[in-house]
Amino acid sequence: MDLKIILNKNNEGVDHFSTGRYSAAQKTFRAALELLKELLLQRELYGDDDENGSRDFPTFDLQTRCINDNLNQQNSHEHYIFRNALVVSVDPSSQKNTIGKNDRRALSYGLTAIVVFNLSLVYHYTADRCNCQTNRTKALRLYRKSWDALQKTQSWIKNQNRLFHGAMVAGMLNNMGTILH
């Protein structure tokens, strides 16, 4: 299985989310997480090292995409939500990086944090739109899982793109705060 398939699923979920297809976005992000889990179970992400215990991986292009929609926000906290979904793609212009097993673990945690954050955002939006406490609780639980995964990245995301890492941290903390407020 190719890592690009997981990235494409994540980005497809962002597309669904940005066009208001929240159910499709949830399914797509969950599919990306299942593919990532399958990849890890197959040990493809960790296996096949060279003699130095390293392996080639591409450089990633990390971006945020603001989700702008024309929602009625009069009775909503939605205007306080950090509205940037996280998009990841392989940077075609870059050289491959040789990374070791610990860096690959950080990469897997980083990708998990990104996809789970996006899934959190969808639940948060739907909770606020429908005033659904169950989805709010799910969103908070998922933000925490994304936070936990981000802490295990050993700064992989920060090394890839400091601004992206900062946006992720700010988004998670802000959105958890809006739920708890």
Side-chain angles (χ1 to χ4, degrees):
M1 178 182 305
D2 188 358
L3 195 56
K4 289 180 188 177
I5 295 170
I6 296 166
L7 303 180
N8 288 339
K9 278 287 181 198
N10 175 72
N11 299 342
E12 180 184 336
V14 172
D15 290 339
H16 289 312
F17 182 35
S18 66
T19 57
R21 296 179 308 220
Y22 303 119
S23 180
Q26 288 173 352
K27 288 177 186 173
T28 307
F29 290 133
R30 289 200 180 282
L33 289 171
E34 284 301 314
L35 290 170
L36 184 57
K37 181 178 172 182
E38 183 181 316
L39 184 69
L40 294 173
L41 288 174
Q42 291 175 356
R43 304 185 63 71
E44 288 184 19
L45 194 57
Y46 297 143
D48 300 330
D49 295 338
D50 67 12
E51 63 275 359
N52 298 322
S54 298
R55 203 167 161 199
D56 283 343
F57 271 91
T59 300
F60 295 95
D61 183 23
L62 306 171
Q63 301 175 359
T64 60
R65 183 182 304 165
C66 187
I67 305 299
N68 286 324
D69 49 11
N70 300 319
L71 299 174
N72 180 1
Q73 298 177 359
Q74 291 175 353
N75 297 320
S76 172
H77 290 243
E78 207 164 294
H79 56 283
Y80 295 115
I81 297 173
F82 178 82
R83 300 172 178 263
N84 292 295
L86 307 174
V87 179
V88 184
S89 56
V90 173
D91 184 353
S93 65
S94 70
Q95 299 281 335
K96 289 193 175 208
N97 295 321
T98 302
I99 62 176
K101 202 170 274 194
N102 287 338
D103 292 329
R104 292 196 302 274
R105 282 193 182 93
L107 167 65
S108 67
Y109 284 124
L111 294 177
T112 299
I114 289 167
V115 177
V116 172
F117 176 82
N118 286 336
L119 183 59
S120 308
L121 199 54
V122 175
Y123 274 105
H124 195 164
Y125 257 58
T126 57
D128 206 51
R129 295 182 107 215
C130 305
N131 198 21
C132 176
Q133 187 57 39
T134 304
N135 278 1
R136 223 173 253 115
T137 302
K138 279 184 184 176
L140 184 59
R141 186 173 41 89
L142 289 167
Y143 282 131
R144 286 179 179 154
K145 285 185 177 191
S146 181
W147 179 262
D148 290 344
L150 185 64
Q151 301 311 303
K152 295 177 183 177
T153 65
Q154 301 169 359
S155 300
W156 172 79
I157 292 175
K158 190 186 290 185
N159 291 339
Q160 288 278 315
N161 184 324
R162 279 191 174 294
L163 185 60
F164 184 86
H165 181 267
M168 244 182 119
V169 169
M172 278 186 236
L173 294 176
N174 178 77
N175 291 356
M176 285 191 283
T178 62
I179 292 172
L180 294 170
H181 180 259

